[in-house]
Amino acid sequence: MFKEFRAFIARGNVLDLAVAVIIGAAFGKIVTSLTEDVLMPIIGKIFGGLDFSGYFLRLGPVPANYTGSLTDYAALKKAGAPLLGYGEFVTQLVNFLIVAFIIFMIVRAVNRASGLLERQKAEAAAAPAPEAAEIALLREIRDELKARPRV
């Protein structure tokens, strides 16, 4: 069983998948930082606040034992107040759109590169191979025999 497992892990697809997961996790952190530290402050500034992820609507009463600020989304959420956190949703939506766009660009580049390789292979296959010397010589002999008058 260990040998089968080792053979399974050693297959190229599994290793490629493992590398993709690791790179994807690191890429996710980069995109999260780009969204939270660069884009969302700009979007928040445009819409009147720097912390866009803190935008929310209260859907019900605040618990009676809550003593914190009524504008602190994280504290209200922790206290169990019913909230509609649309700012956090927008932040996650921007994260998703950035990741989806970058993946689209990568897939597009790969498709173009593979299309280019396929075209090059097709052109190489379509080009006639140089004729062997023996075939050329036989063809010349045939043509000479056809050109002779018959007796």
Side-chain angles (χ1 to χ4, degrees):
M1 186 163 109
F2 179 72
K3 288 181 182 179
E4 284 182 73
F5 180 70
R6 193 174 75 193
F8 173 75
I9 293 298
R11 287 178 38 197
N13 293 344
V14 174
L15 293 175
D16 291 344
L17 180 61
V19 169
V21 167
I22 292 168
I23 290 174
F27 182 70
K29 290 180 181 180
I30 291 170
V31 170
T32 299
S33 176
L34 173 68
T35 303
E36 291 176 359
D37 301 330
V38 177
L39 295 177
M40 292 316 289
I42 293 169
I43 293 171
K45 185 73 172 171
I46 292 170
F47 289 103
L50 292 177
D51 187 13
F52 195 72
S53 65
Y55 287 179
F56 66 94
L57 292 173
R58 261 185 300 145
L59 300 175
V62 177
N65 60 352
Y66 179 71
T67 58
S69 170
L70 294 177
T71 59
D72 187 359
Y73 175 71
L76 284 167
K77 186 175 180 180
K78 187 175 180 181
L83 304 172
L84 177 68
Y86 65 89
E88 184 62 28
F89 174 75
V90 170
T91 301
Q92 295 304 321
L93 183 64
V94 170
N95 268 346
F96 170 77
L97 291 175
I98 291 170
V99 171
F101 180 72
I102 292 173
I103 289 172
F104 166 74
M105 295 303 286
I106 290 170
V107 169
R108 184 176 176 218
V110 168
N111 286 342
R112 284 188 174 180
S114 66
L116 178 64
L117 290 174
E118 288 175 9
R119 280 194 303 260
Q120 289 174 345
K121 286 179 184 177
E123 289 172 2
E131 199 170 68
E134 295 87 12
I135 294 176
L137 182 60
L138 287 171
R139 190 163 292 161
E140 287 177 22
I141 293 170
R142 180 196 67 197
D143 293 343
E144 283 293 323
L145 288 173
K146 282 183 180 178
R148 283 188 183 179
R150 292 196 171 206
V151 181

